Amino acid sequence: MQPNSSKPFSYEAFPASGVVAYYSMEIAICPGMPTYSGGLGMLAGDTLRSAADLGVPLVAFTLLHRKGYFEQHIDPAGIQTEDVQPWNPADFCVEEAARVTVSIEGRTVQLRAWRYDLAGRYGHIVPVYLLDTDLDANSGWDRGLTDHLYGGDSNYRLQQEVVLGMGGVRMVHALGYRVNVYHMNEGHAALLTLALLERQLGGGPLGAATEADIEQVRQKCVFTTHTPVPAGHDRFSNEQAIRILGGDRTARLEQQCCFRDGMLNMTLLALRFSRYANGVALQHGKVSRDMFPEFAIDSITNGVHAPTWIAEPFQQLFDERIPSWRRDTLCLRNAIDLPEDTVLAAHARAKEELLAAVAARTGHLLNPSVLTLGFARRAATYKRATLMFSDPQRLQAIAAEAGGLQILYAGKAHPQDDPGKALIHQVVEDAARLSNDLLRIVFIENYDWELGALLTSGVDVWINTPRRPYEASGTSGMKAALNGVPSLSVLDGWWIEGCIEGVTGWAIEDGVNDAEEASSLYDKLAGDVVALFRHDPRRWARLMRATIAFNGSFFNTNRMVRQYNSNAYYPVTLTERESVREETFAD
Ligand SMILES: *Cc1c(COP(=O)(O)O)cnc(C)c1O
């Protein structure tokens, strides 16, 4: 059945006229706006795109990031340099007339919002409001507060979080919305709870807040944590909190037990003031409960927005064979019946497009019939980008057996992350040293939305080698799955749920050290991947379609947003919600 002109069921009918207000430090809104750095922003953007497609009444808030994140350049020696990415908001957004203020270090800082209308497939709009402090009323320092995503020091960060959380709450009301639910996407937005408590008190002193006042706030808030290790949680010193937020607010947060190890902990703050909290994959929910055992933390596994990440050749194939996939991504389950040759042909076209882009960007001419592996992610040391190079002789032997092997790399290191930069340097050096006629390793600079889409759809196998359990979820392997590209990955994050050995990809087995895990990576490459890819294209095609059917149909944001709706935003009844919790919590 093809979608017709009637609008799909809309949640607008559900809670009269109210909206969900979604807050995220970064949102990948459209490829031309550099308002994101990586996975967190992509997830936020894909969430909003699915909310728009599904007709969910939701509005979103983020910062404008006038100077963007950064454009990456890698010189021939593998040294990363960064350029700012200035952009013009008026080219994409409409300025709203509303103005609100927040207090930062005792100064009054004024903000405005720029609106971007994200339109869904059936015309439903999810407005995204980008908060901006670049106004004449503000001092020079304050005008720059919404310039750099993850730039500056921790003082800058906390001040940005005041703008996002406290400014974001004032702005949603100044714009006239009635809010049913406030959703904090990661702890950066946690200060919105403080603004809600102040609203609840109608301007009265924070010290007078009762447990009932706090419960009122809690009933409206839900929180998603994305960080699997204590060091990853946003924290600020007591001195910083007093200076930037003020003594009264800091005292109140201390009284509410939002400090851990003497630091204001934004995850703890968000948890204390939320009626519902979740991690982003089953294992991540469990890891989060171990870190914060006093809280009930559910899990809703991440996804990606299918039409955003499926390459054109597969969109055409699905439109022909499974047209209902656009209305309901679960229908991708029927990819299990796609004829093998149609799957191979669609992939060959996606691969051609990738290799053409690689040639244009790097001058390297790669061979479309050679097995091609992809590895692209933020250059954090736990992701172990060089694990595949740890035994060069073994890698060369595999390349020989495969009749050639091509490995594509991409990834940015945060400008202040020296170990991450050293890792990129190492990858570029190894690539030059190990490349020969049979083994071609190419690093492509400036990993972003566009390059991510090309890589995840055009390579033959997606590689992921994080050290467990550092990967909360990961989403790039989901993009690959929607394009029929299997993963060869450590069993971490989403892959614990997505891996059916030999059917949707392969697991790199846990070892006692890096060398053992590298050895498992080589074993699987040689024994499973190469054998099948080189000698049995029919079975390879079946693997590809099973990857779409099992993983593409599930690891998408349409399924995820429906789960947020029914488990987090609008649980049917409290009792029912709690009984659901008990099931998901069985570890
Ligand atoms: C999807 C995506 C990510 C996140 O992928 P991970 O699997 O979490 O590494 C990061 N950056 C870009 C550009 C992406 O498209």
Side-chain angles (χ1 to χ4, degrees), residues 26 28 36-43 46 302 304 309 376-378 382-383 411-412 446-453 456 462-464 471-479 494:
E26 51 169 315
Y36 65 96
S37 87
L40 184 70
M42 277 300 175
L43 177 81
D46 282 356
N302 279 345
V304 297
W309 296 105
R377 37 193 49 84
R378 190 163 52 84
Y382 79 84
K383 303 211 182 209
K412 290 177 173 175
N446 206 36
Y447 181 42
D448 64 0
W449 185 330
E450 198 190 346
L451 183 56
T456 52
W462 195 246
I463 305 284
N464 194 15
E471 186 102 303
S473 165
T475 51
S476 54
M478 302 176 182
K479 299 167 191 168
W494 80 282

Side-chain angles (χ1 to χ4, degrees), residues 51 71 84 88 195 263 275 278 299 317 331 334 337 394 406 419 425 497 520 556 578 580:
E71 191 176 292
V84 289
N88 182 13
M263 307 278 280
R275 68 167 157 79
N278 70 288
S299 43
L317 176 61
C331 295
N334 300 325
D337 286 330
R394 185 91 203 266
Q406 299 170 151
H425 182 239
E497 297 159 59
S520 169
N556 60 72
E578 280 171 352
V580 169

Side-chain angles (χ1 to χ4, degrees), residues 314 317-318 335-348 460 481 483-486 502-504 506 529 532-550:
F314 272 106
L317 176 61
F318 297 156
I336 204 71
D337 286 330
L338 289 171
E340 286 108 346
D341 57 334
T342 64
V343 174
L344 293 176
H347 179 66
D460 299 309
N483 289 283
V485 172
V503 176
T504 60
W506 307 268
V529 178
L532 207 60
F533 184 85
R534 187 142 195 225
H535 303 298
D536 204 340
R538 270 176 69 88
R539 276 186 56 214
W540 187 267
R542 288 182 197 155
L543 186 96
M544 290 191 71
R545 68 186 187 187
T547 296
I548 301 165
F550 293 130

Side-chain angles (χ1 to χ4, degrees), residues 487-565:
S487 285
L488 169 56
S489 168
V490 169
L491 281 174
D492 201 11
W494 80 282
W495 189 235
I496 299 172
E497 297 159 59
C499 178
I500 311 173
E501 184 75 14
V503 176
T504 60
W506 307 268
I508 297 168
E509 274 157 31
D510 287 352
V512 296
N513 54 32
D514 285 1
E516 264 192 41
E517 296 191 0
S519 172
S520 169
L521 168 63
Y522 295 131
D523 289 346
K524 294 283 170 92
L525 259 182
D528 296 270
V529 178
V530 167
L532 207 60
F533 184 85
R534 187 142 195 225
H535 303 298
D536 204 340
R538 270 176 69 88
R539 276 186 56 214
W540 187 267
R542 288 182 197 155
L543 186 96
M544 290 191 71
R545 68 186 187 187
T547 296
I548 301 165
F550 293 130
N551 286 348
S553 68
F554 183 83
F555 295 100
N556 60 72
T557 38
N558 279 28
R559 179 270 312 158
M560 187 196 83
V561 165
R562 288 194 160 108
Q563 284 194 301
Y564 276 100
N565 242 301

Side-chain angles (χ1 to χ4, degrees), residues 43-54:
L43 177 81
D46 282 356
T47 300
L48 304 185
R49 282 180 275 282
S50 279
D53 284 348
L54 294 170

Side-chain angles (χ1 to χ4, degrees), residues 33 64 87-99 112-117 127-132 171 175:
M33 293 165 65
L64 189 63
W87 62 289
N88 182 13
D91 291 345
F92 299 86
C93 311
V94 174
E95 183 188 344
E96 293 284 344
R99 298 287 183 271
R112 67 176 150 185
W114 296 80
R115 190 186 80 240
Y116 181 97
D117 283 339
V128 186
Y129 295 97
L130 299 101
L131 302 172
D132 177 21
M171 188 59 82
L175 292 168

